[in-house]
Every structure is written in C-alpha cells, then in structure tokens.
Amino acid sequence: MEHMQRINSAQPVRLLTDVELKTFLKFQHSVGRILYFDEASLNQHIILSPTHLIDAFKSIVTDRRFCKGDKLRQDSWDLMSQKGVIAKKCVEDIWKKKNYKKFHEHKEYLLGVMTHLDILVEPKRYDNSHRSIPAEFFYVASMVKTKDTTGYMKSASFFQRNIAIAFSLPSSMIPPALSFRFLSYCLSMFAVKSYGQKNEDMLFHRSAVFTIDPSLDMCINCDDEIIIVRLVHVKNRTLIMRDLASSIRECLTVALEKISQLYIKTCSTESVVNEGSFSLSLCCSSYDASCFLPIFKLKEQVCPWICPKHGIEHTKDVMSSWEVQQEGLQCGDTCPVTDNAFLEQLPIDIHLRRLSMQYSINETKELAISLGMQVGTWDDMYVTLCEEPERLKFETLRRCIGDSNKTFNDIRNAIELGKIQNQHTLCKVVRGNTIDFDKEPEKWDLIATEEHLDRVAPLVGNKSLPFLVELGMEFKTWEQIKYRQKEKDLVKLNRDILQEWRSVFCVSYQLKPSLRYIGQAFNNIDKNIKIIENVLADLF
C-alpha cells in the first residue's frame, strides 16, 4: 500500500484522496484484476496477480497427487484428510522450501487472507487465566475425508433428543465450497465436540458436531442438495431452550445468506440478489433419510406431524422451537404443557429459576405447600431470606423439587391443586427473552476478556444468583462462591461469578466463553440488553 501511495503521489494529474484510492482498489478487485481486502489486518497489501494467491493456497490445500515426491506435504495432506488440521510449523516448513520461498516472505499476510476467506480457521485457545494464546494448528474443513463412524447419531434415544432444520438452495445444488465455508464459520464460532474413548474431535467430511452448552450439541451435515442442522439435548428435545434455538437459527441463517451471495451472484442471470435465498424446512428427528416439512406449513399444522418414512410424532410445540419467540405468545398447540414427553422430565436449576420469576411470594408459598413442603419449613426460609425475595422463591422451589425427583407434571398438578395462576406458567421455563445477535455479530462472538468482566460485573447488580443460573451453572456453585466472600461486596461477587464461569465452567464443558452467553444471561434476568451493547461500543 505504501508503494501504491507513492505511485499516486507521483501522478501529474489530480491525486486520488485516500477514500478515492480505496474505491479504485475495490473496483479493480471486483473485476478480478487485483486482490485487495479492506480489512484492518489485510489492507496494507495489494496482490497484483491473483494467481499468486492461488499458488499459495495450492502449496497447502491441494490434491494428494500433487504432493508426490514431497514427504512433508504428503504427511500434512494425510493429517488434513484424517483430522482436518495442519500444524502452523508444517506451513512454515513447506514455505521455507526453495519452490515456495516467495510465500514465506509475506506469510502473515497470506495466512491472514486464507483465514479471512475461511480456507483456514484458527481455533481459539486460552491459558488458565483465559488470555488468548496462539493455537499450534489451523482447521482445514475442505480437506477432511474422514466419515463419521462414531455411532453418535445411532444411539437408541437420539430421535427423542434432537430437533432439526434444513436449508436448501432453490437451485437444489449446494456447491461443496459453500458447505466448507459454512463449516469453517461454525469452527470459528463454536467448540468442536470431543467424543468417544479417544476423545477425538468430531470434524468429518462435510459434517461436524459442536458443543453449544453442557446439555446441548449441534450437528451439521452438508449434502449435495441440503444442509441439515440438529440441536441434540442430553436428555430430551422438549428441554431445548426456545430462545437459544431461535437465536442459533438466526445466526446460521445470516451466515449462510452471506456465504451464498457469492455463488448466487456468480451463477444467477438475475441482476438483483434477493434476501432469503435459502428455503427452510423442518426436519424429522431420524438421522437416516430424514423427512421434511416446509416451515411455512407449520402454521397449518393442527395436530402433531408424523413423518411419513419413520412414523415419528413431532408436536407443534417442539417443531416451533426454531421460531423467534414473540412477546405475549399465546399458549395452545405450541405449548410444552401439552407435551407428555416434556411433562415427564426433571427440571434443573435454570427451569426453577425461570419458574420462580412467574410467582409472587404468596403464590410461591402456596405452590410449595401443594408440592409437600411443611408450613414450618417455609416459615424458617421466609425469616432467613425475606429481604431477598427472588432468592427466597428460587430456593423454595429447589427445596421442594431438587431432592425429590419431581417432574414438570408434578408441578403442573400442584399448580392446579393450589389454584395458582394456571398451568401455562410452566411454558416460561423453556422460553427466555429473545435477543438479536445479528446486529454486529462480530462483537457478540468475541471472547470475554478481563476488561469485559470488570465492566459487566457492576451492571448485574443484585441479580447475582439468577445471572449465575442463566449462565448455566448450578446453585451449589453459587453457594461455594458466596461462602468464599469475606466481605459483602456485590460487584466482587458478580466478578467472581463471571471469573468462575469463564475459567472453570467453560473449560470443563469445552465452551468458548463468548460475550454471546453473557448477553443472553443478562437479557434473561430482565436487564436492559442495551446496557451491555453500550459497554461493547465503549470498548471498541
């Protein structure tokens, strides 16, 4: 770029301004004469011959027959085809060879372009203090040849634990490059699940499994005509949080739309590329030869959908999990309390926390007594926690349900027995507050730093316990952190909770501690999400 600016300044005619110079470079890039990427880490270089970049790609990502006689490249190709990774040292060693020294001179830039184009994906790695440390390898999704032989999707209960949605192009043909870029995008967003006796990464040819949270995985499978995304719960699909499912759908839809635009613009004769280029279908819960129901037909479904090939029943409530949850949503066919599979499940802390928010203190007392709590036990808890009403309600439900293996059906019966509001308050436990992560997603996908934790901790205020639970941690973790508190310092308590979540919880469950999780938890404890957005804006 410095050379280009010198050329510009030497012209006898009017010099281009910086803005005009960038516009000129972008135009030349768009018509294929040069390559110029207006990104913060890439905008100081211009590639005059696009084939130079192609040759750099081919030195790493190529067919095995072009590696003949070069043991280093053959070994790297074998590793990429089996596990989808290539060591950074291997790239360094290849580019030090005589034939490729021209790439080594600008290796940081060329690797930056390759990651920008999703050809390579650098996994995010962190030390014990969760400071970012360079990974020793890149993921190369396009090179993986290994098929999934783990049996993960063949377990007897798999069809009871997953919901699925399918994306397909109107042309009924998804270019392989699109599926590789989509998988690369997911690799940059989510942690690859480790599975089996050898605890190996579940990255395969045109498919992968990612860890979303301790109870939820995401499976992605790309075929020639369709991309299927499955959310798989550890127990039962009825417990998948609706706000999480709809958020993931929105996130993946936007990613696919952006990736697909290149291919549509290239192949389409239309001058305008319309939004919504993918058609969406709901998928049955069978991994084998899945059945599909166009998503626009969901509203027409009155009774459960029974897929024609497998005879699996899918309730409207479960199928609507992918839809954005609207304010004031009326219960009916899309209601968990009409689903026996949901009612048979045991609630966990996050369910009880959300349920406790629906009741007053008196209603909580009536519900507790209907669930079998002694009046004296309630009185003792009230005396101890009366100044912390939210904690009182939550701990009361935990005492009634947590140790007694009571199900959602037991709670529903107790609601009816005590005539406490109505049974549809149970619906709230799987419906959090929606949040639009598509606005500036690059910020939400950032890993939480020490500065982020410092800035967020005071904003949580006296919502420490619900915030901890919404982050996915258990009540016993709250007790342990609270016990360690020697002073009644609310900000320090919230800071300790965030630190525990980032450094222990996320590490234990192989989660990427992104700001997305903090934003969702903040939103679900009835805090104004704009506050977090303003913090992010300040930090940028």
Side-chain angles (χ1 to χ4, degrees):
M1 178 60 81
E2 290 178 1
H3 189 187
M4 184 69 193
Q5 289 167 338
R6 288 199 300 271
I7 294 174
N8 181 42
S9 63
Q11 296 305 303
V13 295
R14 184 181 70 85
L15 306 183
L16 297 180
T17 66
D18 288 344
V19 173
E20 289 171 335
L21 182 58
K22 278 197 173 184
T23 302
F24 167 76
L25 293 173
K26 288 179 181 179
F27 173 77
Q28 298 299 328
H29 173 96
S30 69
V31 296
R33 293 196 181 99
I34 65 169
L35 290 176
Y36 174 72
F37 302 95
D38 190 17
E39 300 289 329
S41 59
L42 304 176
N43 60 7
Q44 294 306 304
H45 290 82
I46 304 157
I47 297 179
L48 299 181
S49 173
T51 56
H52 179 77
L53 188 61
I54 295 171
D55 290 340
F57 292 169
K58 285 166 57 180
S59 69
I60 301 172
V61 181
T62 187
D63 193 278
R64 197 179 193 282
R65 67 177 182 271
F66 298 121
C67 304
K68 189 175 181 180
D70 189 332
K71 188 177 186 305
L72 178 60
R73 294 181 70 207
Q74 285 180 330
D75 291 344
S76 70
W77 191 96
D78 291 339
L79 184 62
M80 283 191 286
S81 68
Q82 293 169 17
K83 298 187 176 182
V85 299
I86 184 169
K88 288 183 176 180
K89 186 179 184 305
C90 184
V91 176
E92 176 93 4
D93 291 343
I94 289 173
W95 283 357
K96 281 181 179 179
K97 287 177 173 288
K98 183 178 179 180
N99 294 342
Y100 306 116
K101 280 188 175 181
K102 56 185 177 181
F103 306 134
H104 191 268
E105 181 181 355
H106 297 108
K107 67 174 183 177
E108 296 301 330
Y109 169 71
L110 291 173
L111 290 174
V113 172
M114 294 173 91
T115 54
H116 174 67
L117 297 176
D118 295 327
I119 294 170
L120 303 177
V121 178
E122 184 168 13
K124 295 179 174 65
R125 293 290 185 269
Y126 307 91
D127 59 21
N128 292 335
S129 299
H130 251 78
R131 291 186 293 267
S132 179
I133 55 176
E136 296 179 354
F137 65 92
F138 293 106
Y139 283 117
V140 195
S142 60
M143 292 294 290
V144 187
K145 307 299 179 185
T146 306
K147 299 290 185 180
D148 182 4
T149 58
T150 62
Y152 173 83
M153 294 194 292
K154 296 182 180 180
S155 64
S157 64
F158 185 79
F159 79 94
Q160 297 173 327
R161 297 189 291 113
N162 82 89
I163 60 174
I165 194 166
F167 301 83
S168 58
L169 275 169
S171 63
S172 74
M173 179 63 187
I174 297 178
L178 186 149
S179 62
F180 296 142
R181 289 200 70 176
F182 180 56
L183 284 172
S184 295
Y185 166 80
C186 293
L187 285 167
S188 68
M189 284 275 295
F190 308 103
V192 179
K193 183 179 180 64
S194 297
Y195 186 73
Q197 294 180 344
K198 295 182 179 179
N199 215 32
E200 294 185 323
D201 287 352
M202 297 191 74
L203 176 60
F204 311 105
H205 179 62
R206 299 180 73 180
S207 69
V209 182
F210 302 92
T211 299
I212 303 300
D213 65 34
S215 63
L216 193 69
D217 296 334
M218 179 175 70
C219 303
I220 293 179
N221 188 277
C222 306
D223 291 326
D224 287 339
E225 298 181 353
I226 204 161
I227 293 176
I228 298 176
V229 178
R230 296 185 186 275
L231 294 181
V232 186
H233 195 273
V234 69
K235 291 183 179 179
N236 192 284
R237 63 191 177 193
T238 59
L239 296 179
I240 295 174
M241 297 293 181
R242 278 38 172 185
D243 51 320
L244 181 58
S246 61
S247 174
I248 289 174
R249 171 197 158 176
E250 292 282 305
C251 176
L252 298 184
T253 299
V254 170
L256 276 169
E257 287 290 350
K258 288 180 178 179
I259 296 169
S260 67
Q261 294 308 303
L262 170 65
Y263 302 101
I264 295 172
K265 287 177 181 177
T266 303
C267 304
S268 176
T269 56
E270 299 179 9
S271 58
V272 178
V273 179
N274 296 319
E275 291 296 321
S277 54
F278 278 91
S279 59
L280 291 175
S281 299
L282 297 168
C283 219
C284 77
S285 296
S286 174
Y287 75 93
D288 185 29
S290 300
C291 305
F292 303 100
L293 177 72
I295 200 164
F296 66 84
K297 290 188 176 181
L298 180 60
K299 292 182 179 179
E300 303 171 7
Q301 286 292 129
V302 178
C303 53
W305 176 56
I306 299 176
C307 64
K309 294 179 185 175
H310 314 94
I312 301 174
E313 181 179 290
H314 302 77
T315 65
K316 192 170 183 179
D317 168 53
V318 169
M319 290 191 295
S320 66
S321 300
W322 294 104
E323 292 190 317
V324 175
Q325 303 299 304
Q326 300 175 354
E327 293 291 334
L329 183 67
Q330 298 296 312
C331 291
D333 295 331
T334 61
C335 178
V337 298
T338 64
D339 192 325
N340 289 330
F342 168 78
L343 294 172
E344 292 170 358
Q345 302 304 310
L346 300 173
I348 59 175
D349 284 353
I350 192 170
H351 299 136
L352 299 180
R353 206 291 298 181
R354 291 185 177 184
L355 184 63
S356 71
M357 297 298 294
Q358 309 307 313
Y359 300 121
S360 67
I361 290 177
N362 287 334
E363 287 172 332
T364 303
K365 176 183 177 180
E366 292 299 320
L367 179 58
I369 292 172
S370 297
L371 285 166
M373 176 177 278
Q374 298 297 314
V375 175
T377 302
W378 161 262
D379 290 340
D380 291 341
M381 293 188 68
Y382 183 80
V383 169
T384 305
L385 300 172
C386 61
E387 295 184 359
E388 300 179 77
E390 289 190 8
R391 184 180 168 191
L392 170 64
K393 293 185 292 180
F394 174 53
E395 289 203 38
T396 297
L397 293 183
R398 284 194 74 257
R399 183 77 64 88
C400 294
I401 296 166
D403 300 327
S404 59
N405 289 327
K406 284 186 170 62
T407 65
F408 284 112
N409 194 45
D410 294 322
I411 299 175
R412 185 183 70 167
N413 293 336
I415 290 171
E416 293 177 345
L417 178 64
K419 298 180 180 179
I420 308 157
Q421 295 189 32
N422 64 67
Q423 62 181 359
H424 291 291
T425 51
L426 276 178
C427 303
K428 300 289 186 181
V429 303
V430 290
R431 289 178 181 155
N433 299 324
T434 57
I435 179 172
D436 185 4
F437 285 123
D438 296 329
K439 293 180 180 178
E440 299 183 292
E442 67 279 1
K443 293 184 180 180
W444 290 114
D445 296 334
L446 285 175
I447 299 301
T449 65
E450 292 289 332
E451 186 174 3
H452 288 132
L453 303 193
D454 289 339
R455 296 289 293 274
V456 170
L459 304 177
V460 178
N462 62 357
K463 300 277 189 177
S464 304
L465 177 56
F467 185 66
L468 174 144
V469 174
E470 285 292 340
L471 283 172
M473 293 187 281
E474 297 180 348
F475 181 75
K476 63 181 181 182
T477 305
W478 156 266
E479 292 179 311
Q480 293 165 357
I481 296 174
K482 187 83 170 175
Y483 179 78
R484 294 197 298 263
Q485 284 276 317
K486 296 180 180 179
E487 301 175 2
K488 290 187 176 180
D489 186 335
L490 193 58
V491 173
K492 186 176 185 304
L493 174 62
N494 295 333
R495 184 63 167 76
D496 289 349
I497 287 170
L498 285 162
Q499 189 65 46
E500 180 82 11
W501 169 77
R502 191 184 70 161
S503 300
V504 178
F505 180 81
C506 290
V507 172
S508 299
Y509 291 102
Q510 298 179 318
L511 303 178
K512 290 181 179 177
S514 67
L515 293 174
R516 182 180 297 261
Y517 290 103
I518 294 176
Q520 188 69 68
F522 199 79
N523 198 40
N524 282 337
I525 60 172
D526 301 321
K527 289 280 189 177
N528 185 355
I529 193 62
K530 289 293 183 184
I531 298 175
I532 292 287
E533 291 176 347
N534 291 337
V535 167
L536 292 180
D538 289 344
L539 292 178
F540 273 79

